[in-house]
Amino acid sequence: MAELELLIEPETLVAELGNDALLIIDVCSADSYKTHHIPGAVHIPPAELQAGTKPAVGKIPEKKRLDALFSAAGLNSRKHVVVYDDEGGGWAGRLIWTLDVLGHRNYSYVNGGLHAWLAAGLPVTTELPTTAPSEFVGEWHEEFIAEAVDVLDAIDDDDQAIWDARSPEEYRGEKVVAQRGGHIPGAINIDWLELMDRERQLRLVDLQGLQQRLDKLGLSKDKTVITHCQTHHRSGLSYMAMKILGYDRIKGYHGSWSEWGNREDTPINTGANP
């Protein structure tokens, strides 16, 4: 198998189908997986990537639970994971962030996911793969996880920046889905939907143009960038986009707004981007 880049096109993967060195993971909806999926793909329900405990339902599950999840999927240290979803990269990015936390760095994302795969007329199946369970034991890497205290520290630190991947309405405080609405002071709002090219089956937008925009807004590579949304699902895409662009100091705030907006001691601003 040729070494796969982090971002691959569907045609690159189709040439590698059946390769035992790959573990293809589908994080689409259950209905989508039943209807059609890439041959050999193992389904991981997106909800399994979150702890599900209110109010901050998006926090990462405990390591024991994740080890069991990826063991059931057949992951081991020699496998190269190829992940895709059916929504433009949010859940795929969340899975890649989870693998970073667990110390497994061999992975690729199928650009455009299932939408691009189907548009290219590539093979799909309803057949469930035969998966040999493994005994995966990850090595926990806290440096990829941002807690509320880390976000607080980042607010007044010129060497850090915060990327809010929610909608502008949530950011401005007009749409409230927690006890309090608004945004973290100093956070820069780029909606995750703006990272998807709807003219190209939800592939990532032009990466050079995206980097220029990030630099202009102060989300540059020389900073530690913390990204979040409501549950660190949508911000899975902003996290993955930065990985693809070559950022080496990024974190996912797994508590996200469902934690920040439901606390009474966290600072909140309203209004548009500063």
Coordinates of all heavy atoms in Angstrom, one line a residue, residues 143-207:
E143 N -2.8 16.4 25.8 CA -2.4 17.7 25.2 C -3.4 18.1 24.0 O -3.4 19.2 23.6 CB -1.0 17.6 24.6 CG -0.8 16.6 23.5 CD -0.2 15.3 24.0 OE1 -0.5 15.0 25.2 OE2 0.5 14.6 23.3
F144 N -4.2 17.1 23.6 CA -5.2 17.4 22.6 C -6.6 17.8 23.1 O -7.5 18.1 22.4 CB -5.4 16.2 21.6 CG -4.1 15.9 20.9 CD1 -3.3 14.8 21.3 CD2 -3.7 16.6 19.8 CE1 -2.1 14.5 20.6 CE2 -2.5 16.3 19.1 CZ -1.8 15.3 19.5
I145 N -6.7 17.7 24.4 CA -8.0 18.0 25.1 C -7.9 19.4 25.8 O -7.0 19.6 26.6 CB -8.3 16.9 26.1 CG1 -8.4 15.6 25.5 CG2 -9.7 17.3 26.8 CD1 -8.6 14.4 26.5
A146 N -8.8 20.2 25.5 CA -9.0 21.5 26.3 C -10.1 21.4 27.3 O -11.2 21.0 26.9 CB -9.2 22.7 25.3
E147 N -9.8 21.7 28.5 CA -10.8 21.8 29.6 C -11.2 23.3 29.7 O -10.5 24.2 29.2 CB -10.3 21.3 30.9 CG -9.8 19.8 30.8 CD -11.0 18.8 30.7 OE1 -12.1 19.2 30.7 OE2 -10.7 17.6 30.6
A148 N -12.2 23.6 30.5 CA -12.7 24.9 30.7 C -11.6 25.8 31.2 O -11.4 27.0 30.8 CB -13.9 25.0 31.6
V149 N -10.7 25.3 32.1 CA -9.7 26.1 32.7 C -8.6 26.5 31.6 O -8.1 27.6 31.6 CB -9.0 25.4 33.9 CG1 -8.3 24.1 33.4 CG2 -8.0 26.3 34.6
D150 N -8.4 25.6 30.6 CA -7.5 25.9 29.5 C -8.1 27.0 28.7 O -7.3 27.9 28.2 CB -7.3 24.7 28.7 CG -6.7 23.5 29.5 OD1 -5.7 23.7 30.2 OD2 -7.2 22.4 29.4
V151 N -9.4 27.0 28.5 CA -10.0 28.0 27.7 C -9.9 29.4 28.4 O -9.6 30.4 27.8 CB -11.5 27.7 27.4 CG1 -12.2 28.8 26.5 CG2 -11.6 26.3 26.6
L152 N -10.2 29.4 29.7 CA -10.0 30.6 30.5 C -8.6 31.2 30.3 O -8.5 32.4 30.2 CB -10.3 30.3 31.9 CG -11.8 30.2 32.3 CD1 -12.0 29.6 33.7 CD2 -12.5 31.6 32.2
D153 N -7.6 30.3 30.4 CA -6.2 30.8 30.3 C -6.0 31.3 28.9 O -5.1 32.2 28.7 CB -5.3 29.6 30.5 CG -5.3 29.2 32.0 OD1 -5.7 30.0 32.9 OD2 -4.8 28.1 32.3
A154 N -6.7 30.8 27.9 CA -6.4 31.3 26.5 C -7.0 32.6 26.2 O -6.5 33.3 25.2 CB -6.9 30.2 25.5
I155 N -8.0 33.1 26.9 CA -8.7 34.3 26.6 C -7.8 35.5 26.5 O -7.9 36.3 25.5 CB -9.8 34.5 27.6 CG1 -10.9 33.5 27.4 CG2 -10.4 35.9 27.4 CD1 -12.0 33.5 28.5
D156 N -6.9 35.7 27.4 CA -6.0 36.8 27.4 C -4.6 36.5 27.0 O -3.6 37.3 27.4 CB -6.0 37.5 28.8 CG -7.4 38.1 29.1 OD1 -8.0 38.7 28.2 OD2 -7.9 37.9 30.3
D157 N -4.4 35.4 26.3 CA -3.0 35.0 26.0 C -2.8 35.2 24.5 O -3.5 34.5 23.6 CB -2.8 33.5 26.3 CG -1.4 33.0 26.1 OD1 -0.6 33.7 25.4 OD2 -1.1 31.9 26.5
D158 N -1.9 36.0 24.1 CA -1.7 36.3 22.7 C -1.1 35.2 21.9 O -1.2 35.2 20.6 CB -0.7 37.5 22.5 CG -1.3 38.8 23.0 OD1 -2.6 38.9 23.1 OD2 -0.5 39.8 23.4
D159 N -0.6 34.2 22.6 CA -0.1 33.0 21.9 C -1.1 31.9 21.7 O -0.8 30.8 21.2 CB 1.1 32.4 22.7 CG 2.3 33.3 22.7 OD1 2.5 34.0 21.6 OD2 3.0 33.3 23.7
Q160 N -2.4 32.2 22.1 CA -3.5 31.2 21.9 C -4.7 31.9 21.3 O -4.8 33.1 21.3 CB -3.9 30.7 23.3 CG -2.8 29.9 24.0 CD -3.3 29.1 25.2 OE1 -4.1 28.2 25.0 NE2 -3.0 29.6 26.4
A161 N -5.5 31.1 20.6 CA -6.7 31.6 20.0 C -7.8 30.6 20.1 O -7.5 29.4 20.3 CB -6.4 31.9 18.5
I162 N -9.0 31.0 20.0 CA -10.2 30.1 20.1 C -11.0 30.2 18.9 O -11.4 31.3 18.5 CB -11.0 30.6 21.4 CG1 -10.1 30.5 22.6 CG2 -12.2 29.6 21.5 CD1 -10.8 31.2 23.8
W163 N -11.3 29.1 18.3 CA -12.2 29.0 17.1 C -13.5 28.4 17.5 O -13.6 27.3 17.9 CB -11.5 28.1 16.0 CG -12.2 27.9 14.8 CD1 -13.5 28.2 14.5 CD2 -11.7 27.4 13.5 NE1 -13.9 27.9 13.2 CE2 -12.7 27.4 12.6 CE3 -10.4 26.9 13.2 CZ2 -12.6 26.9 11.3 CZ3 -10.2 26.4 11.9 CH2 -11.3 26.4 10.9
D164 N -14.5 29.3 17.3 CA -15.9 28.9 17.6 C -16.6 28.4 16.3 O -16.8 29.3 15.4 CB -16.7 30.1 18.2 CG -18.1 29.7 18.6 OD1 -18.7 28.9 18.0 OD2 -18.6 30.4 19.6
A165 N -16.9 27.2 16.1 CA -17.4 26.6 14.9 C -18.9 26.6 14.8 O -19.5 25.9 13.9 CB -16.8 25.2 14.6
R166 N -19.6 27.2 15.7 CA -21.1 27.2 15.7 C -21.6 28.2 14.7 O -20.8 28.9 14.0 CB -21.6 27.6 17.1 CG -21.2 26.6 18.2 CD -21.7 27.2 19.6 NE -21.1 28.5 19.9 CZ -21.6 29.4 20.7 NH1 -22.8 29.1 21.3 NH2 -21.0 30.5 20.9
S167 N -22.9 28.3 14.6 CA -23.5 29.2 13.6 C -23.3 30.7 14.2 O -23.2 30.9 15.4 CB -25.0 28.9 13.5 OG -25.7 29.3 14.7
P168 N -23.4 31.7 13.3 CA -23.3 33.1 13.7 C -24.4 33.4 14.7 O -24.2 34.2 15.6 CB -23.5 33.8 12.4 CG -23.0 32.9 11.3 CD -23.4 31.5 11.8
E169 N -25.6 32.8 14.5 CA -26.7 33.1 15.4 C -26.4 32.6 16.9 O -26.7 33.3 17.8 CB -28.0 32.5 14.9 CG -28.5 33.1 13.6 CD -27.8 32.6 12.4 OE1 -27.0 31.6 12.5 OE2 -28.0 33.2 11.3
E170 N -25.8 31.5 17.0 CA -25.4 31.0 18.3 C -24.3 31.9 18.9 O -24.3 32.2 20.0 CB -24.9 29.6 18.2 CG -26.0 28.5 17.9 CD -25.4 27.2 17.5 OE1 -25.1 27.0 16.3 OE2 -25.3 26.3 18.4
Y171 N -23.3 32.2 18.0 CA -22.2 33.0 18.5 C -22.6 34.4 19.0 O -22.2 34.8 20.0 CB -21.2 33.2 17.3 CG -20.0 34.0 17.6 CD1 -18.8 33.5 18.1 CD2 -20.0 35.4 17.3 CE1 -17.7 34.2 18.4 CE2 -18.9 36.2 17.6 CZ -17.7 35.6 18.1 OH -16.6 36.4 18.4
R172 N -23.6 35.0 18.3 CA -24.0 36.3 18.7 C -25.0 36.3 19.9 O -25.3 37.3 20.5 CB -24.7 37.0 17.5 CG -23.8 37.4 16.3 CD -24.5 38.3 15.3 NE -25.6 37.7 14.7 CZ -25.7 37.1 13.5 NH1 -24.5 37.1 12.8 NH2 -26.8 36.6 13.0
G173 N -25.4 35.1 20.2 CA -26.3 35.0 21.3 C -27.8 35.1 21.0 O -28.7 35.2 21.9
E174 N -28.1 35.1 19.7 CA -29.5 35.2 19.2 C -30.2 33.8 19.3 O -31.4 33.8 19.5 CB -29.5 35.7 17.8 CG -28.9 37.1 17.6 CD -28.5 37.4 16.2 OE1 -28.8 36.6 15.3 OE2 -27.9 38.5 16.0
K175 N -29.4 32.8 19.1 CA -30.0 31.4 19.2 C -29.3 30.8 20.4 O -28.1 30.7 20.5 CB -29.7 30.6 18.0 CG -30.2 29.1 18.1 CD -29.8 28.3 16.8 CE -30.3 26.9 16.9 NZ -30.0 26.1 15.7
V176 N -30.1 30.5 21.4 CA -29.6 30.0 22.7 C -30.0 28.6 23.0 O -31.2 28.2 23.0 CB -30.1 30.9 23.9 CG1 -29.6 30.4 25.2 CG2 -29.8 32.4 23.6
V177 N -29.0 27.7 23.1 CA -29.2 26.3 23.3 C -28.5 25.8 24.6 O -28.1 24.7 24.7 CB -28.8 25.4 22.1 CG1 -29.7 25.6 21.0 CG2 -27.4 25.8 21.7
A178 N -28.4 26.7 25.6 CA -27.9 26.4 26.9 C -28.5 27.5 27.8 O -29.4 28.2 27.4 CB -26.3 26.6 26.9
Q179 N -28.1 27.4 29.1 CA -28.7 28.4 30.0 C -28.4 29.8 29.6 O -29.2 30.8 29.8 CB -28.2 28.2 31.4 CG -28.8 26.9 32.1 CD -28.3 26.8 33.5 OE1 -27.8 27.8 34.2 NE2 -28.4 25.6 34.1
R180 N -27.2 30.0 29.0 CA -26.8 31.4 28.6 C -26.4 31.3 27.1 O -25.8 30.3 26.7 CB -25.7 31.9 29.4 CG -26.1 32.1 30.9 CD -25.0 32.8 31.7 NE -23.8 32.0 31.8 CZ -22.6 32.4 32.0 NH1 -22.4 33.7 32.2 NH2 -21.5 31.6 32.1
G181 N -26.6 32.3 26.4 CA -26.2 32.4 25.0 C -25.0 33.4 24.8 O -24.8 34.3 25.6
G182 N -24.3 33.3 23.7 CA -23.2 34.2 23.4 C -22.0 33.4 23.0 O -22.1 32.3 22.5
H183 N -20.8 34.0 23.3 CA -19.6 33.3 22.9 C -18.5 33.6 24.0 O -18.6 34.5 24.8 CB -19.1 33.7 21.6 CG -18.9 35.2 21.4 ND1 -19.8 36.1 20.9 CD2 -17.8 36.0 21.7 CE1 -19.3 37.3 20.9 NE2 -18.1 37.3 21.4
I184 N -17.5 32.8 23.9 CA -16.3 33.0 24.8 C -15.6 34.3 24.3 O -15.4 34.5 23.1 CB -15.4 31.8 24.6 CG1 -16.1 30.5 25.1 CG2 -14.1 32.0 25.4 CD1 -15.3 29.2 24.7
P185 N -15.2 35.1 25.3 CA -14.6 36.4 24.9 C -13.3 36.1 24.0 O -12.5 35.3 24.4 CB -14.2 37.0 26.3 CG -15.2 36.5 27.2 CD -15.5 35.1 26.7
G186 N -13.3 36.9 22.9 CA -12.1 36.8 22.0 C -12.2 35.6 21.0 O -11.4 35.6 20.1
A187 N -13.2 34.8 21.2 CA -13.3 33.6 20.2 C -13.6 34.2 18.8 O -14.4 35.1 18.7 CB -14.3 32.7 20.7
I188 N -13.1 33.5 17.8 CA -13.3 33.9 16.4 C -14.4 32.9 15.9 O -14.2 31.6 16.0 CB -12.1 33.8 15.6 CG1 -11.0 34.8 16.1 CG2 -12.3 34.1 14.1 CD1 -11.5 36.2 16.1
N189 N -15.4 33.4 15.2 CA -16.5 32.5 14.7 C -16.3 32.3 13.2 O -16.3 33.2 12.4 CB -17.8 33.2 14.9 CG -19.0 32.4 14.4 OD1 -19.9 32.9 13.9 ND2 -19.0 31.1 14.6
I190 N -16.0 31.0 12.9 CA -16.2 30.5 11.5 C -17.0 29.3 11.5 O -16.6 28.3 12.1 CB -14.8 30.2 10.8 CG1 -13.9 31.4 10.9 CG2 -15.0 29.7 9.4 CD1 -12.5 31.1 10.3
D191 N -18.2 29.4 11.0 CA -19.2 28.3 11.0 C -18.6 27.1 10.3 O -18.0 27.2 9.2 CB -20.5 28.8 10.3 CG -21.7 27.9 10.5 OD1 -21.5 26.7 10.7 OD2 -22.8 28.3 10.3
W192 N -18.8 25.9 10.9 CA -18.2 24.7 10.3 C -18.8 24.5 8.8 O -18.1 24.0 8.0 CB -18.5 23.5 11.1 CG -20.0 23.0 11.1 CD1 -21.1 23.7 11.2 CD2 -20.4 21.6 10.9 NE1 -22.2 22.9 11.2 CE2 -21.8 21.6 10.9 CE3 -19.7 20.4 10.6 CZ2 -22.6 20.5 10.8 CZ3 -20.5 19.3 10.5 CH2 -21.9 19.3 10.5
L193 N -20.0 25.0 8.6 CA -20.6 24.9 7.2 C -19.8 25.6 6.2 O -19.8 25.2 5.0 CB -22.0 25.3 7.2 CG -23.0 24.6 8.1 CD1 -24.4 25.2 8.1 CD2 -23.1 23.1 7.7
E194 N -19.0 26.6 6.6 CA -18.2 27.4 5.7 C -17.0 26.7 5.2 O -16.3 27.1 4.3 CB -17.9 28.7 6.3 CG -19.1 29.6 6.6 CD -18.6 31.0 7.2 OE1 -17.7 31.6 6.7 OE2 -19.2 31.3 8.3
L195 N -16.7 25.5 5.8 CA -15.5 24.7 5.4 C -15.9 23.7 4.4 O -15.0 23.0 3.8 CB -15.0 24.0 6.6 CG -14.6 24.9 7.9 CD1 -14.0 24.0 8.9 CD2 -13.7 26.0 7.4
M196 N -17.2 23.6 4.0 CA -17.6 22.6 3.1 C -17.9 23.2 1.7 O -18.6 24.3 1.7 CB -18.9 21.9 3.5 CG -18.8 21.3 4.9 SD -20.4 20.6 5.4 CE -20.2 20.5 7.2
D197 N -17.5 22.6 0.6 CA -17.8 23.1 -0.7 C -19.0 22.4 -1.2 O -18.9 21.2 -1.6 CB -16.5 22.9 -1.6 CG -16.7 23.5 -3.0 OD1 -17.8 23.8 -3.4 OD2 -15.7 23.7 -3.7
R198 N -20.1 23.0 -1.2 CA -21.4 22.4 -1.6 C -21.4 22.1 -3.2 O -22.3 21.4 -3.6 CB -22.6 23.2 -1.2 CG -22.6 23.2 0.4 CD -23.9 23.8 0.9 NE -23.9 23.7 2.4 CZ -24.2 22.6 3.1 NH1 -24.6 21.5 2.4 NH2 -24.2 22.6 4.4
E199 N -20.5 22.7 -3.9 CA -20.5 22.5 -5.3 C -19.6 21.3 -5.7 O -19.5 20.8 -6.8 CB -19.9 23.7 -6.1 CG -20.7 25.0 -5.8 CD -22.1 24.9 -6.3 OE1 -22.4 24.3 -7.4 OE2 -23.1 25.4 -5.6
R200 N -18.9 20.7 -4.6 CA -18.0 19.6 -4.8 C -18.3 18.5 -3.8 O -17.4 17.9 -3.2 CB -16.6 20.1 -4.7 CG -16.2 21.1 -5.8 CD -14.8 21.6 -5.6 NE -13.8 20.6 -5.6 CZ -13.0 20.3 -4.6 NH1 -13.1 21.0 -3.4 NH2 -12.1 19.4 -4.7
Q201 N -19.6 18.2 -3.6 CA -20.0 17.1 -2.8 C -19.5 17.2 -1.3 O -19.0 16.2 -0.8 CB -19.6 15.7 -3.4 CG -20.3 15.4 -4.7 CD -19.5 16.1 -5.9 OE1 -18.3 16.0 -5.9 NE2 -20.3 16.6 -6.8
L202 N -19.5 18.4 -0.8 CA -19.1 18.6 0.6 C -17.6 18.4 0.9 O -17.1 18.2 2.0 CB -19.9 17.8 1.6 CG -21.4 18.0 1.5 CD1 -22.1 17.2 2.7 CD2 -21.8 19.5 1.6
R203 N -16.8 18.4 -0.2 CA -15.3 18.4 0.0 C -14.9 19.6 0.8 O -15.7 20.6 0.8 CB -14.6 18.3 -1.3 CG -14.6 16.9 -2.0 CD -13.9 17.0 -3.3 NE -13.7 15.7 -3.9 CZ -14.6 15.0 -4.7 NH1 -15.8 15.6 -4.9 NH2 -14.4 13.9 -5.2
L204 N -13.7 19.6 1.4 CA -13.2 20.8 2.0 C -13.0 21.9 1.0 O -12.7 21.7 -0.2 CB -11.9 20.5 2.7 CG -11.9 19.8 4.0 CD1 -10.5 19.3 4.4 CD2 -12.5 20.6 5.1
V205 N -13.2 23.2 1.4 CA -13.0 24.3 0.6 C -11.5 24.4 0.2 O -10.7 23.7 0.8 CB -13.5 25.6 1.2 CG1 -15.0 25.6 1.5 CG2 -12.8 25.8 2.6
D206 N -11.2 25.3 -0.7 CA -9.8 25.5 -1.1 C -9.0 25.8 0.1 O -9.2 26.7 0.9 CB -9.8 26.7 -2.1 CG -8.3 27.1 -2.4 OD1 -7.7 26.3 -3.2 OD2 -7.9 28.1 -2.0
L207 N -7.9 24.9 0.3 CA -7.1 25.0 1.5 C -6.3 26.3 1.6 O -6.1 26.8 2.6 CB -6.3 23.8 1.6 CG -7.1 22.4 1.9 CD1 -6.1 21.3 1.9 CD2 -7.8 22.5 3.2

